[in-house]
Amino acid sequence: MEFEIRLSGSVEIRAAGRRSDLGSTKTRLALAALAWDAGRTVSVDTLIHRIWDEHPPSKAREALHAHISRIRGSLRLAGGDAPAIVSRTNSYSLEVDPDRVDLRCYTGCVERARSLRDSGDEEAALRLLDRADSLWHGEPLAGITGSWAEHLRAAVDETGLVAAMTRAEILLDGGKFTDAVPVLLPLAEAHPVDEALTERLAVALYGSNRTAEATRLLQRTRQRVVRDIGLDAGRGLHRVHQGILAGTPAAALLPGAGAAEKTPPRPTRRVPDNLPRDVPWAGRRDELRRLTSALCEGRGASDVVTVEAIHGMGGVGKTALAVHLAHRLRDRFPDGRVFLHLGGYSTDRTPPTPARALTELLRLLGMATKELPRELDELVALWRSVARDRRMLVVLDDAISSAQIHPLLPGASPTAVVVTSRRNLPGLPGVRPVSLDVLPPEDAAALFSQRLGRGRDTDPSDVAEIVRICGYLPLAIEIAASRLLARASWTTSDLLRQLGGGGGHLTQLRDVERTLTHIFAVSYHALNAEQQLVFRRVGLHVGVEFGPWAIVALTGFSLDTAERVLEELMAHHLVSEPIPHRFTMHDLLRDYARSLVEARDADSEDDVRRAVQSLVDHYVRTADRADRLAYPFRSRTDLDAGDPAAPPCPEIIDAQSAEQWLIAESANLLDTVDWLVKHGTERQLALCVHVLAGFLDMEGHLAAAEPLLLRAAAHWDVAGDSVARARALLDLCAVYTHGSRYGEAISAADAALDVARSLGDRELESECVHQLSISLWQTGQYALVRSLQKKSLSWLVQTENTLRIARCRNLLGIIHLHLAENEEALACFSSALADFTAIEYERGIYSALNNTAELHKRTGRPEAAEVAYRKAMVVAERMGNPRDKATLQMNLASVMDELGRTEEALALYGMVLPVLRDVGDRRAEAIALNRIGRAYRAAGRTEEALRQHIAALEVTRAIHAAGEEADVLYDLALAERDAGRTAQAVARLEESLAVSRHIGAPAEEARATEMLAALRGEVTA
């Protein structure tokens, strides 16, 4: 399908004769910003600058994402040929052939035409210029305003000038002076002081017998140059004027005609090369490949200058990469390699002014300082004139801002510029930034070994740990290697002990000349007061990753201010955003931030204490709100009244957003608990553990939860708060149950139940009965659970608490199912599902659907079971709980096995088993092992089936899960029979029958009896 993105004229997408509706102007501008760099990565900061200039909205990244989404929808117009927009860390790229973008194809045609004309192939050059003309549909980005749009129009206008000049030169060289006039005339009106253009137009007019017009044009241009620029016109205009007056043939007046005879040889130009020395290189392969490709595109002599920006945190290797790149491309830039340090982040000297920087550039090109102009505008004009026909590579190192760089850009020139900076430079025209991160571990180890050189023995495990301590930061790695080189008697083990010793890693990362502390201090002192405060407060954060609300808690800033300052710190590469709205700071930078706090220069001890306590309160109180929405059935102890001046918390409006918040902040919540263990009071810790009990249980943090809950229960006992102690015991019961420690779970629930009954608290008593019932069910005490739940349901119905009623019916349905009371089970599940749906409680909907599917499976309706399981899976995907998802996949796999899709079932079991083990759900692990055995037996792989059933049996007996033990023994007996070991099969069935009778499971008892009779008949025969 024919597909094109048009930037010439109105921005639009065309495919098969149809045009897309991109909607708003900003969406069209976003498409243009991506399409102009088609096939190349464009940073989010660059896109935001191109779309909104210096005034982006407060939620610029979200707005950009919305525009990208609309563009993706519009691109579907191309059907199967639609290009993709690929999202990477802090960047996007439009993966499309640049020739599908009209202006990119246009500029490419003009560049190639210019090159062909220079090489003498004028016919081919004209064909390319004709193609370029066919791509022109009007003013680029028509109807769109903004600095980047204006810059793009200026760049394309420059290309249009090159196209017209190339066509005119071909016509003039061929003696077609009359044809050249209409090509050049409009350009001369648009560029009245362009002497090269005037020179050619005057020759064309003169060659067309329009001598008077030619002389008037020359006089007018000379006067305009003197008036506007303050300099006399160049020799070219004088030469043409004198030639016309002398009647010289027009062809002889063309630039270059008879140059060998008339022009004295030009003096040899100085080729500057002041690059710092290169070093042996390790890593950065992708960055080098991208930069090399960009700088070697072979741009024409009049194209807009190529600008590449390398940015990243201090010590990440920006300057080293730029210098290595310049050495590597030495042959590509025969007119010189210039390195200019701008000192933007130096603490010991003032950054050079643009005038001083330009003076240094021109001096490096061989010009005497005393002969250079003093005014900035004159220096800029001279620099651009000198660079116009030179293919140089200029490295502008350690820039502080786009404004500092603008005057130093050469303009229309084959010269390329590489800028390094510790902050993003979004205002540079046509910039294509490369953001450096720390090295991958393998490259970091290679860099360390390379800096040591040959002849130094190293232990690979020591090296791996050293570079990890260095945070994979190149400068830190170089300093560590330097320390080892300076101590001939040291081994890598000695260095590792030194780096890992007391005082923190940052203080040890120093050599004779350099310290990381100094490098980081330079970046810190470039910040304003707000930015410095946030930087220091991040050092106080209890976890590694954080969101804007954590900064609100630590600083007292508004959310808008916190988000703005984080954006600014990202621009300085002092924090990063690995995923949207989640920020992190390099470990060594965090150490530096903590050292600033500990120095007490800007933060008092009370400031620090209040900030950390505010952060802890933020996590505990937000978790309390989230937990009440995610797990609304829990019996709760209220938190203490908070500080009325405490900062606000994020808005969490429903169970889904609550679970998402708990998952996103899981690491920080665990770190908050650790902080309270070390620094908080027993009451604070007990309240926090109660708030997080549901989260710790459902997310599989059982090992962490148990000792904390025991400690909480002990605290409430000492404090004399019986209700809080009972709730702590219920939390402990849930953890024990999911850890398959049913005896301890029953004991904890019984103790809580005794407290509730002694207090006459019916609501608490109902919750105790429910938790106790779950543990009793897991041990196969079905009749007792049925009795308890029926009594509980009769009381709950009076309360009209729909959630608890539905939950009670759901559990009662499970018990009916085990007792083979299928109609009663279906009624309970249907009623529970209706109630859960009415109150939009997704966890309950998931559970009721899962149980309904289990009923269908047991009653011989596997197709209906699969439908119900898949409905439950849709709900589970939204909830995001790993245990629930794994349980559902396990149940679905069992249905697939029954439907004869054994390989699909085994693949699902293979995914599920590690998750169940990771969250510590041993009961579910036993069920999964047993079902894997069934699948192997169905596939005729009896020996593998036996191994799985025996492993499942060991788990069920270890956790005393009697109901599962009866199932496993039955399936193991079938596998023994298939293996020809009938006697062992009979013994297993007798065990299964005994367990089924003991727990009162008639369905299991009946199937064991039936199979036992059949096997005994075989033994007798």
Side-chain angles (χ1 to χ4, degrees), residues 269-280:
R269 294 190 298 186
R270 180 174 174 180
V271 178
D273 193 346
N274 69 328
L275 290 176
R277 70 180 183 87
D278 200 5
V279 294

Side-chain angles (χ1 to χ4, degrees), residues 109-151:
C109 288
V110 173
E111 289 172 13
R112 293 197 297 276
R114 185 74 185 179
S115 177
L116 288 169
R117 189 264 171 186
D118 291 343
S119 64
D121 192 349
E122 296 183 343
E123 185 177 340
L126 283 173
R127 285 198 298 269
L128 281 171
L129 292 173
D130 289 340
R131 185 184 175 198
D133 287 347
S134 71
L135 294 165
W136 188 258
H137 304 104
E139 180 187 53
L141 278 55
I144 295 177
T145 59
S147 62
W148 181 76
E150 292 301 326
H151 161 72

Side-chain angles (χ1 to χ4, degrees), residues 575-637:
V575 299
S576 58
E577 188 181 20
I579 57 176
H581 315 299
R582 305 295 299 171
F583 300 87
T584 188
M585 180 181 281
H586 190 277
D587 289 346
L588 294 175
L589 275 173
R590 190 184 293 270
D591 285 348
Y592 175 67
R594 288 185 186 127
S595 74
L596 293 172
V597 173
E598 291 164 3
R600 297 287 186 264
D601 291 337
D603 304 275
S604 69
E605 190 172 344
D606 283 345
D607 290 337
V608 173
R609 179 184 52 77
R610 282 194 296 269
V612 175
Q613 189 61 59
S614 175
L615 179 70
V616 170
D617 288 346
H618 155 72
Y619 281 124
V620 174
R621 293 188 181 283
T622 310
D624 183 55
R625 172 165 176 74
D627 187 79
R628 289 173 186 271
L629 289 168
Y631 310 109
F633 45 79
R634 291 182 60 210
S635 181
R636 298 182 181 281
T637 298

Side-chain angles (χ1 to χ4, degrees), residues 306-343:
T306 302
V307 181
E308 300 295 327
I310 303 172
H311 51 71
M313 67 180 283
V316 82
K318 304 177 294 296
T319 301
L321 176 60
V323 169
H324 179 68
L325 177 72
H327 280 285
R328 184 171 173 171
L329 300 179
R330 179 182 298 272
D331 294 339
R332 296 275 185 171
F333 295 94
D335 294 325
R337 280 77 46 199
V338 177
F339 181 89
L340 186 63
H341 182 65
L342 298 179

Side-chain angles (χ1 to χ4, degrees), residues 769-1006:
V769 167
H770 186 84
Q771 293 295 336
L772 176 62
S773 296
I774 293 174
S775 303
L776 293 170
W777 156 50
Q778 304 284 22
T779 56
Q781 301 180 58
Y782 304 136
L784 176 56
V785 175
R786 179 176 58 185
S787 173
L788 287 170
Q789 285 301 297
K790 284 188 174 181
K791 289 179 183 176
S792 183
L793 182 61
S794 64
W795 178 79
L796 284 170
V797 169
Q798 301 172 37
T799 68
E800 298 183 354
N801 187 321
T802 305
L803 174 60
R804 291 182 182 273
I805 292 170
R807 191 173 58 136
C808 181
R809 282 186 173 139
N810 196 35
L811 179 55
L812 188 56
I814 294 171
I815 303 307
H816 283 310
L817 182 60
H818 281 289
L819 293 171
E821 297 165 357
N822 296 331
E823 291 185 8
E824 293 88 339
L826 182 59
C828 283
F829 294 147
S830 300
S831 178
L833 180 60
D835 285 344
F836 285 138
T837 303
I839 60 176
E840 298 181 345
Y841 182 53
E842 291 199 323
R843 187 174 299 283
I845 295 171
Y846 149 80
S847 179
L849 284 169
N850 181 62
N851 294 333
T852 303
E854 186 68 16
L855 172 63
H856 289 320
K857 186 174 69 172
R858 288 197 178 206
T859 54
R861 301 176 60 204
E863 293 86 357
E866 181 180 5
V867 170
Y869 279 137
R870 293 199 180 278
K871 286 181 181 178
M873 192 170 285
V874 172
V875 181
E877 283 297 327
R878 293 197 296 267
M879 294 184 337
N881 181 281
R883 177 189 287 115
D884 290 342
K885 290 181 183 178
T887 301
L888 196 54
Q889 288 175 314
M890 177 179 68
N891 293 340
L892 180 59
S894 69
V895 171
M896 290 179 174
D897 190 27
E898 286 190 32
L899 291 170
R901 292 146 62 184
T902 303
E903 291 304 319
E904 289 181 65
L906 286 171
L908 262 181
Y909 285 132
M911 295 166 54
V912 163
L913 200 54
V915 177
L916 297 175
R917 286 171 173 161
D918 188 52
V919 300
D921 193 338
R922 301 210 70 200
R923 173 181 171 271
E925 177 189 349
I927 293 171
L929 288 168
N930 193 51
R931 290 179 180 177
I932 292 171
R934 288 181 191 170
Y936 279 137
R937 187 166 58 81
R941 297 156 66 177
T942 306
E943 290 302 321
E944 292 170 278
L946 283 167
R947 283 196 293 271
Q948 299 297 324
H949 290 314
I950 291 170
L953 184 61
E954 290 174 358
V955 176
T956 58
R957 286 178 170 170
I959 63 176
H960 308 293
E964 280 65 43
E965 183 182 357
D967 280 341
V968 173
L969 286 166
Y970 178 82
D971 288 312
L972 179 55
L974 298 183
E976 297 275 21
R977 181 198 62 183
D978 292 350
R981 299 196 284 266
T982 309
Q984 291 94 321
V986 169
R988 299 294 189 187
L989 280 171
E990 288 172 343
E991 290 182 80
S992 179
L993 180 60
V995 173
S996 300
R997 284 174 175 166
H998 175 72
I999 65 176
E1004 286 76 6
E1005 182 181 349

Side-chain angles (χ1 to χ4, degrees), residues 3-7 12-13 31 35 75 94 100-102:
F3 170 78
E4 179 187 28
I5 296 176
R6 284 194 179 178
L7 306 185
E12 60 188 23
I13 299 168
L31 173 61
L75 287 170
L94 176 60
R100 296 283 190 175
V101 181
D102 61 350

